[in-house]
Each structure stands twice: as C-alpha cells, then as structure tokens.
Amino acid sequence: MLYKKISIIILLTSLLMLTVCLTIHFNTYFNISAPIYKNLVSARLLGVNNRDFFMELVWESQNKTFTSYSIDASELHFYERGIEIARVYLDDTIIINPFTSSIFIASATLNRDTFENLIYNYIEAFTFNLQGSIRAKTLFFGRELILEKNIPINIKELFNGFLQESFRNAVSMENISMAREADINILNCEINLYNRTGFDLFISSFEGNININRISNGTVISFEPISFSNNETTRNSNMSFRLDDNIQEDSSYFRYILEGIMTAVYWDTEFFFPIEIVGEI
C-alpha cells in the first residue's frame, strides 16, 4: 500500500514538473521576437570578382524579451527600393540570451554594379535594408521570425580598409641610390606595387617619409603616378626623397623604414591607405 502511494506521489510530481517545464517552454516559444539591432561593430570588404563583392559584417543586437533561443537558419537579403541587391548569410548558430547583447557575424554577396554605383555617385555612407526571416529554435521546436533592419555602412571606409589589406606586404622598394644634387642630399628608388584588388586603380600620389639609420629623415619630393588597367597586376614607379643630413661614406648597410599614405583614385573618388616598408640599402 505504501509502495503504491509513493508511486502515485512520484507520478504526480513528475507530471507537475513536466507541466511546469512545458508551460515555461511554450511561454518562451510564443514570446520569442526578433532581436533589436543596436549598432554595426565592423564591416570588411573581403574580395571581389567580375560579378560580386564579398563582405563580412558584424553587428550587435539586443534581445527585447526575457527568453533565450538559438538561430540555426536564415533567409536574408539586402534590398534597395524593393529590389534584391545582396544575399546575406549568418555564420554558424547564434545563441540569443536574455538580458545581454548578441553578436551577429554575417557574410554578404553584393552585386558589383550596385557597389560601384555608390562610389560613382560619391556616396560615402549608405544604409542597407536587411529583410528576410530567421529560424528561432527552443528545445525541439523551431519558429520563423521576420527580420527587417537598416544596416548603415560607411562605403568609403570599407573601400579604404580593403585597399589597406590588399596592399599590405604588396609594396616593395628596389634600385635604391643616394646622391648629392645642387647641395641637396637625394635618395632615388623604384617602388613596386602588386595590385590584387581586382580594380583598375590610379595611384595618384604618395605623402610620406623615410627614416634611414645614421642618416636621419627624408621627405618625399617626387612620385611618378601609377595606373593599373587591363587586368595589370604589377607596376612600378620612381620616387625621390630629400634627406636632412649629409650622407656618410660607409660600406656597411643602412636600414630604412618608409612610412606614408598613398592616394588611389577609383571612379573619380580618392581613397587613402597607409604603407610601411622596412629594408636595407
């Protein structure tokens, strides 16, 4: 008899616990809502081909409900005036927790013509309209949520960052020589650029300095512009620097550090990216 009572108590307790869990779960399920967009953490242009641009976007969102869930699938696009201009992919499964912010890492494939039109029309910042759906999952159940956000992206900063990454370790100096001309100490050199951006760029100018061990500083006084076209990837240019101090006759090597800002022109818009070269003369 006692055994039967204990079994009934255990059964009723289990049913109560199951009822509470199901109540909490269904309450969570029916109260799920799409997270609120807070701000764009970062945007990177990863590459380009003849048809598309490839971007990485990281943005922060806030869960406005007191429920947690995961996002394991999505169907998202960027739209402009009702026309789809990009496909957006969420990376991995995203966990949305209550009371905290969540980070979304997304990859976007943007039509190249659309991006180039922004540059051509001198638009430095543009707000992309993100629309679509995400699949929110709690325990064994999934629910589709409609997502619509406006993601502001600084186009000029995005392209500047892409140029900086593309030309990092893609610039070198060769045929360096020093001479004294009209009582001025001059350093002449060739600078080689490897263009892996996929764009027909015009490198219009360089502003910078060279620091040479035991000779002090030099300031650029001439730069021969470089034009990349017709799928050219490697071009060179001539540069000259005016040195501050006299050149000491010495057979040993001089170490140098070249630092400065290059100006690239694309669709009549100027973009700037830093370069740094370390070497020996």
Side-chain angles (χ1 to χ4, degrees):
M1 190 72 178
L2 179 62
Y3 176 76
K4 186 176 181 180
K5 288 182 178 180
I6 294 174
S7 299
I8 292 173
I9 292 173
I10 293 174
L11 178 60
L12 291 175
T13 303
S14 299
L15 290 173
L16 178 62
M17 291 179 62
L18 179 61
T19 301
V20 171
C21 290
L22 288 175
T23 300
I24 293 174
H25 174 71
F26 282 114
N27 180 67
T28 299
Y29 178 80
F30 287 111
N31 283 283
I32 289 175
S33 62
I36 300 173
Y37 171 82
K38 289 182 64 177
N39 64 281
L40 183 68
V41 177
S42 66
R44 286 200 310 148
L45 182 58
L46 303 177
V48 61
N49 60 24
N50 293 331
R51 187 182 63 184
D52 297 309
F53 278 67
F54 305 99
M55 295 189 297
E56 178 194 75
L57 304 174
V58 179
W59 71 80
E60 183 181 14
S61 291
Q62 181 72 45
N63 184 7
K64 69 178 182 180
T65 61
F66 301 120
T67 59
S68 62
Y69 56 91
S70 62
I71 298 172
D72 60 0
S74 64
E75 183 70 29
L76 299 170
H77 300 86
F78 280 141
Y79 287 88
E80 169 62 13
R81 298 178 182 177
I83 300 174
E84 179 188 326
I85 60 173
R87 175 78 168 90
V88 181
Y89 307 87
L90 294 181
D91 293 353
D92 300 324
T93 298
I94 299 173
I95 305 299
I96 305 297
N97 293 312
F99 310 112
T100 60
S101 298
S102 300
I103 297 298
F104 283 72
I105 302 177
S107 301
T109 302
L110 178 65
N111 180 272
R112 177 166 178 160
D113 290 340
T114 300
F115 192 92
E116 290 184 334
N117 282 334
L118 295 174
I119 298 175
Y120 179 77
N121 290 295
Y122 306 105
I123 298 175
E124 294 192 5
F126 186 78
T127 299
F128 290 86
N129 180 236
L130 178 68
Q131 295 182 29
S133 63
I134 55 177
R135 184 174 180 271
K137 186 176 181 181
T138 60
L139 293 180
F140 306 107
F141 300 94
R143 180 181 176 189
E144 184 179 274
L145 301 176
I146 302 301
L147 193 67
E148 183 170 358
K149 311 291 179 184
N150 289 322
I151 311 289
I153 298 176
N154 191 306
I155 300 300
K156 193 158 189 177
E157 287 183 2
L158 186 70
F159 201 77
N160 278 335
F162 177 64
L163 293 178
Q164 181 177 346
E165 289 293 324
S166 297
F167 283 104
R168 179 176 295 173
N169 301 321
V171 185
S172 63
M173 290 174 59
E174 295 182 359
N175 298 324
I176 301 172
S177 63
M178 292 183 288
R180 189 169 178 83
E181 302 175 5
D183 296 327
I184 300 175
N185 299 309
I186 301 293
L187 182 146
N188 298 306
C189 67
E190 287 185 3
I191 185 165
N192 297 318
L193 277 77
Y194 176 64
N195 179 17
R196 53 193 175 194
T197 66
F199 299 104
D200 298 337
L201 298 174
F202 177 65
I203 310 298
S204 61
S205 64
F206 171 77
E207 297 292 334
N209 300 284
I210 189 168
N211 181 276
I212 305 177
N213 185 32
R214 294 178 291 157
I215 298 182
S216 189
N217 295 322
T219 304
V220 64
I221 55 175
S222 68
F223 174 81
E224 182 181 302
I226 302 173
S227 179
F228 289 99
S229 60
N230 299 323
N231 297 318
E232 290 177 313
T233 56
T234 306
R235 294 293 303 275
N236 57 26
S237 173
N238 295 311
M239 285 200 305
S240 296
F241 296 84
R242 177 172 180 167
L243 304 177
D244 295 339
D245 300 330
N246 292 328
I247 301 172
Q248 302 295 325
E249 295 293 338
D250 198 321
S251 59
S252 62
Y253 289 107
F254 299 121
R255 289 190 59 81
Y256 67 84
I257 300 176
L258 173 67
E259 297 177 301
I261 301 294
M262 281 193 166
T263 301
V265 180
Y266 187 66
W267 287 115
D268 296 326
T269 300
E270 290 186 337
F271 299 92
F272 308 96
F273 60 95
I275 67 167
E276 179 181 275
I277 306 173
V278 178
E280 290 184 340
I281 301 175

